[in-house]
Amino acid sequence: MMLCVVVCMIVGYLFGCFQTGYFVGRINKIDIRDYGSGNSGTTNTLRTLGKTAAIVTFLGDALKGLIAVNLARYVIIPAFGVKSQAVLWLLTGFAVVLGHNFPFFLKFKGGKGIATTGGVIFAFHWQLGLLCGLVFLVVTALTKYVSLGSICMVLIIPFILYFSEPNNWPLIFVGCIFTAMAIWRHRANIERLLHGTENKLGQKVKR
């Protein structure tokens, strides 16, 4: 069991280290982390390189979460003979987010993990993934703050996991770790939101 957990998390972390935004930036002859918010996520890519680059970044970051969780779910865990356990799927997904946020080959400077988290939750339970996506879209559309939409999305994760599997406390605990990680990664955004200085959707970054 423990070896299975270790393998799932290593695989998840390595998947997470694939920095879509960084590679999209390199194709455009820049290091995306040198601009805007300094991370390699979808929002910074949108502000720096535009919609097409942002869409590619979002899809890449979401897909790595979705693929890694399904790989653990249908290949790695069965190979170890472990009965299918939802908490192992989510732990794999958390490792993907860790790899995205702290990629070893980029000196642990990555993104904030929101698109990747969305892909993980969608792989875990597609209806819950759609609900998270809906919350993100509605809040972002109403406020024009991507960061606020992201924060609201991750805040509901422990609750939707509770209503999905109310007696699975290890699963809910992992969901709380997802939320805590995302909130911590958005601490600067939260401070700017409180002071009214946060950038709104559509604002560009000078290159």
Side-chain angles (χ1 to χ4, degrees):
M1 174 68 173
M2 184 55 65
L3 182 58
C4 181
V5 172
V6 171
V7 171
C8 283
M9 296 201 70
I10 289 174
V11 170
Y13 178 81
L14 292 176
F15 263 87
C17 284
F18 182 85
Q19 293 290 302
T20 314
Y22 174 79
F23 292 117
V24 169
R26 283 305 186 192
I27 291 171
N28 287 274
K29 297 181 171 37
I30 67 168
D31 185 338
I32 194 71
R33 300 170 304 157
D34 291 336
Y35 298 84
S37 62
N39 73 73
S40 57
T42 301
T43 304
N44 199 39
T45 304
L46 173 64
R47 289 176 176 148
T48 307
L49 295 173
K51 291 181 181 179
T52 301
I55 291 170
V56 172
T57 300
F58 171 80
L59 290 175
D61 288 347
L63 281 172
K64 66 187 181 186
L66 189 149
I67 293 170
V69 171
N70 280 315
L71 184 63
R73 184 175 185 173
Y74 296 112
V75 179
I76 299 173
I77 296 172
F80 278 90
V82 177
K83 290 183 179 180
S84 185
Q85 294 187 19
V87 69
L88 288 182
W89 310 342
L90 212 57
L91 277 173
T92 304
F94 180 68
V96 182
V97 175
L98 278 178
H100 176 81
N101 291 351
F102 308 106
F104 70 93
F105 76 102
L106 292 177
K107 299 180 180 178
F108 304 100
K109 185 180 178 184
K112 295 180 180 177
I114 297 303
T116 303
T117 296
V120 168
I121 299 300
F122 190 87
F124 174 78
H125 194 303
W126 69 267
Q127 291 97 329
L128 300 182
L130 288 179
L131 179 59
C132 283
L134 180 62
V135 168
F136 171 80
L137 290 173
V138 169
V139 174
T140 301
L142 291 175
T143 66
K144 304 301 181 186
Y145 290 121
V146 175
S147 57
L148 186 58
S150 301
I151 291 165
C152 290
M153 185 193 94
V154 297
L155 282 173
I156 71 166
I157 289 176
F159 297 100
I160 62 177
L161 291 175
Y162 174 78
F163 287 110
S164 173
E165 298 193 35
N167 296 315
N168 195 339
W169 291 108
L171 181 73
I172 296 164
F173 177 73
V174 176
C176 290
I177 296 176
F178 266 91
T179 300
M181 169 69 75
I183 296 297
W184 182 73
R185 293 291 285 172
H186 282 83
R187 60 195 185 280
N189 303 86
I190 293 171
E191 185 175 349
R192 290 194 296 269
L193 284 167
L194 292 173
H195 289 89
T197 58
E198 177 73 326
N199 291 327
K200 289 193 173 185
L201 185 65
Q203 288 182 253
K204 300 294 183 181
V205 170
K206 292 182 179 180
R207 291 176 54 187

